[in-house]
Amino acid sequence: MAERADVVFVDGVRTPFGRAGEKGMYWNTRADDLVIKAIIGLLERNPNVPKDRIDDVAIAATTQTGDQGLTLGRSAAILAGLPKSVPGFSIDRMCAGAMTAASMMGASIGYGAYDLAIAGGVEHMGRHPMGSGVDPNPRFVAEKLVSEDALVMGATAERIHDRYPHLTKERADRFALGSQQKVAAAYEAGKIQQDLIPVAIRTEEGWGLATKDEAPRPETTIEGLAGLKTPFRPHGRVTAGNASGLNDGATVALLASGEAAEELGLTPKMKLVSFGFAGVDPEIMGIGPVPSTEKALRKAGLSIDDIGLFELNEAFAIQVLSFLDHFGIADDDPRVNQWGGAIAVGHPLASSGVRLMNQLARQFEEQPGVRYGITAMCVGLGQGGTMIWENPNWSKKAERKSRKG
């Protein structure tokens, strides 16, 4: 059997994320066009990549219907101008769709079956709300396998508050405010825009260009968050302010073997170390990243203390807080979501995994003193996903210097 090949993250891009619904900037934009535009942008940024050398295109979507269906990886590849010899497929692991696409393509590269692959995801929650058109098997409820509201993500988040009462609404609101502030600061510093692919949009005012995320609310205050309604439970703790919104957007990444990257003159931004997916009770799905991270760390032979940067998907503030609390990490630890997260920029379900990778890769470039980083997220129906990455810019000297600082 061939030795395992190095798997590297070469580049990742995304569209700006929009607000879902008739007032959102992508209301008149097709879902497949979002991911097609992202693939075109990715390839334009990497002209050294021969299109006919791409071995597969894996594109995730949670609601695979209409313009978000039809074996999206294959159809988007053709429409993005890839040769018809390049295959593609679609994949679904709800929120962790793009993360699963990246991990499966990474595994295929590591095994030696692929040299180059594209992985990503798209979700147009305006056109295709989560759960629309599905028909859950009645056995789930009839046999009490799950509760009736296990697919109501906000209800599952309320249960984390129940389980960990010391993780209060006030802490969740403070974390949410921090996310908004960090995203605003990252935009001000030009950190996020560098990986955004502009998208032509059509609105009532005419044609325009989407160049930035639509959802951030930099004017957010702790007082404003405290007064928001709790839609999932009377006198609850989960609000629209301390949760991610309903969003539209697409992401794609280019993965390669270390050998192919060297041959083509590509500069890796990250190296894949390990990944793990784990299941938990669907009713409390937000704790999923805890066992998936423990599994990924175990596979890598690392501990949580080895991780210098965390990009955690902020489906709900309480979900991130439960992860941090489990691993003994402070709510405001500077290693966590340095440029903010989904509470501010949005969470177009299946696309979010690659957004986390993009941000981690950029932070690696700026911080050669950090060797390992994590991208992790919770997943509907009770799952968690984690990928551990190594910084190719890391040096022991820089690490010692950063620790002294």
Side-chain angles (χ1 to χ4, degrees):
M1 185 175 173
E3 290 185 13
R4 182 177 131 176
D6 284 344
V7 180
V8 296
F9 179 98
V10 175
D11 197 13
V13 301
R14 67 178 177 91
T15 68
F17 289 171
R19 290 179 182 151
E22 292 185 26
K23 295 181 180 179
M25 63 186 182
Y26 293 137
W27 180 247
N28 295 311
T29 304
R30 290 177 59 98
D32 51 7
D33 280 338
L34 289 174
V35 76
I36 290 162
K37 183 67 176 176
I39 294 173
I40 292 171
L42 178 72
L43 294 172
E44 285 179 346
R45 286 185 14 156
N46 295 276
N48 285 4
V49 176
K51 294 180 181 179
D52 61 354
R53 289 279 303 275
I54 295 169
D55 289 299
D56 215 343
V57 179
I59 300 297
T62 301
T63 308
Q64 297 190 12
T65 185
D67 57 342
Q68 213 160 266
L70 198 63
T71 313
L72 201 52
R74 172 62 171 166
S75 59
I78 293 173
L79 289 163
L82 288 169
K84 291 176 183 173
S85 58
V86 176
F89 66 103
S90 58
I91 194 168
D92 172 23
R93 201 196 296 263
M94 296 186 78
C95 310
M99 177 177 283
T100 301
S103 60
M104 294 302 104
M105 292 298 91
S108 298
I109 292 168
Y111 182 73
Y114 292 171
D115 294 319
L116 295 161
I118 290 175
V122 62
E123 210 74 50
H124 199 307
M125 299 182 76
R127 284 178 175 268
H128 309 294
M130 187 176 69
S132 62
V134 301
D135 180 19
N137 194 303
R139 286 184 51 219
F140 276 119
V141 175
E143 298 179 17
K144 293 184 169 50
L145 298 173
V146 299
S147 72
E148 291 189 43
D149 61 358
L151 275 173
V152 180
M153 298 299 114
T156 68
E158 287 282 7
R159 287 196 181 92
I160 305 180
H161 277 291
D162 293 342
R163 179 173 291 193
Y164 307 110
H166 61 286
L167 301 178
T168 62
K169 179 180 183 297
E170 289 72 26
R171 286 175 69 174
D173 285 347
R174 278 198 300 274
F175 185 87
L177 177 62
S179 181
Q180 296 284 358
Q181 293 173 335
K182 286 188 283 188
V183 166
Y187 258 104
E188 183 70 23
K191 305 291 189 184
I192 293 174
Q193 299 93 317
Q194 53 197 332
D195 291 324
L196 299 183
I197 301 299
V199 178
I201 54 174
R202 182 166 55 85
T203 67
E204 291 180 359
E205 289 76 37
W207 284 94
L209 197 64
T211 59
K212 63 180 182 179
D213 297 311
E214 191 177 22
R217 296 181 181 274
E219 72 280 4
T220 300
T221 65
I222 199 71
E223 293 79 16
L225 290 171
L228 293 176
K229 295 179 181 178
T230 58
F232 303 105
R233 183 186 293 181
H235 312 294
R237 293 139 298 192
V238 178
T239 71
N242 58 33
S244 58
L246 304 178
N247 304 98
D248 309 327
T251 64
V252 289
L254 177 65
L255 302 170
S257 67
E259 187 175 320
E262 185 176 354
E263 174 200 343
L264 297 170
L266 305 173
T267 302
K269 293 182 176 178
M270 301 192 292
K271 177 183 173 183
L272 180 60
V273 177
S274 73
F275 63 85
F277 291 92
V280 296
D281 288 338
E283 292 84 357
I284 192 164
M285 64 94 196
I287 64 171
V290 169
S292 67
T293 297
E294 291 174 337
K295 180 183 287 188
L297 288 168
R298 188 168 63 251
K299 294 286 185 183
L302 298 172
S303 77
I304 199 71
D305 297 329
D306 294 312
I307 307 303
L309 286 168
F310 295 83
E311 275 294 322
L312 307 175
N313 191 46
E314 299 169 357
F316 300 93
I318 181 59
Q319 176 264 316
V320 180
L321 292 178
S322 67
F323 178 98
L324 299 178
D325 188 64
H326 176 86
F327 288 109
I329 301 169
D331 296 3
D332 59 353
D333 191 299
R335 296 174 297 167
V336 177
N337 294 5
Q338 292 193 342
W339 299 345
I343 287 173
V345 300
H347 173 30
L349 300 182
S351 69
S352 287
V354 166
R355 179 190 68 78
L356 303 176
M357 297 170 206
N358 291 348
Q359 296 194 183
L360 180 62
R362 289 295 184 181
Q363 290 159 21
F364 272 167
E365 289 176 356
E366 296 181 358
Q367 300 180 61
V370 173
R371 184 171 185 180
Y372 298 109
I374 272 180
T375 56
M377 61 202 316
C378 62
V379 189
L381 272 183
Q383 299 180 83
T386 301
M387 300 182 78
I388 300 178
W389 304 89
E390 185 174 8
N391 185 358
N393 310 295
W394 172 79
S395 73
K396 284 187 177 180
K397 183 178 178 181
E399 183 176 357
R400 285 195 296 266
K401 185 177 179 182
S402 66
R403 285 184 175 176
K404 286 180 182 178

